Amino acid sequence: MTDALELDVLWQEFHRVVNMTSQELATWLQVSDADEETEPLPDQAGTPTGQHVLAILQKRRTDLTDDDVRIMYDVVDTVTEEADIENEPEPEQTRRRHQLMTIGHDPLRP
């Protein structure tokens, strides 16, 4: 696992880029995973990464596992690389926004 200082920085950065609450993320995962004929169980909705982000949001920093830390790094890197969607065509902006929302980041929020 990472040292305490590095973990503090990661924790802060993760919570900066994940700008949706756990309730908003859970709702989004359910909505994005539903279709006309089926709707997943709440604890099974969304991608595995989205579910993991949701679980991390519900944890204390002292309860993080090595797998949690790995996911947090992945989410921070993904959001940092993909968040600038302003100059893309509208369909691409919407698609990318929805992808980022599955990991807890809504690029339309300040």
Side-chain angles (χ1 to χ4, degrees), residues 3-109:
D3 66 30
L5 181 59
E6 188 176 344
L7 186 57
D8 286 345
V9 171
L10 176 61
W11 180 261
Q12 291 172 0
E13 188 66 9
F14 176 80
H15 282 86
R16 183 188 67 77
V17 300
V18 176
N19 62 4
M20 296 169 68
T21 67
S22 59
Q23 185 176 13
E24 290 169 331
L25 178 56
T27 300
W28 173 252
L29 293 175
Q30 290 172 10
V31 168
S32 68
D33 222 19
D35 62 25
E36 291 180 14
E37 297 181 20
T38 63
E39 186 172 327
L41 296 171
D43 62 339
Q44 297 174 355
T47 64
T49 302
Q51 283 294 320
H52 203 142
V53 169
L54 184 58
I56 292 168
L57 289 174
Q58 298 167 343
K59 288 185 176 187
R60 296 176 304 177
R61 184 173 56 211
T62 57
D63 296 331
L64 295 174
T65 66
D66 288 341
D67 201 34
D68 295 337
V69 170
R70 181 186 56 78
I71 291 292
M72 290 169 70
Y73 275 118
D74 289 348
V75 168
V76 169
D77 290 346
T78 299
V79 170
T80 302
E81 293 170 7
E82 301 287 331
D84 185 20
I85 63 172
E86 294 177 16
N87 297 324
E88 295 180 343
E90 184 61 36
E92 184 65 19
Q93 283 184 23
T94 300
R95 184 189 66 75
R96 183 160 303 160
R97 177 181 182 227
H98 290 174
Q99 286 178 332
L100 288 169
M101 287 174 69
T102 64
I103 58 171
H105 178 79
D106 185 349
L108 298 183
R109 285 197 174 162

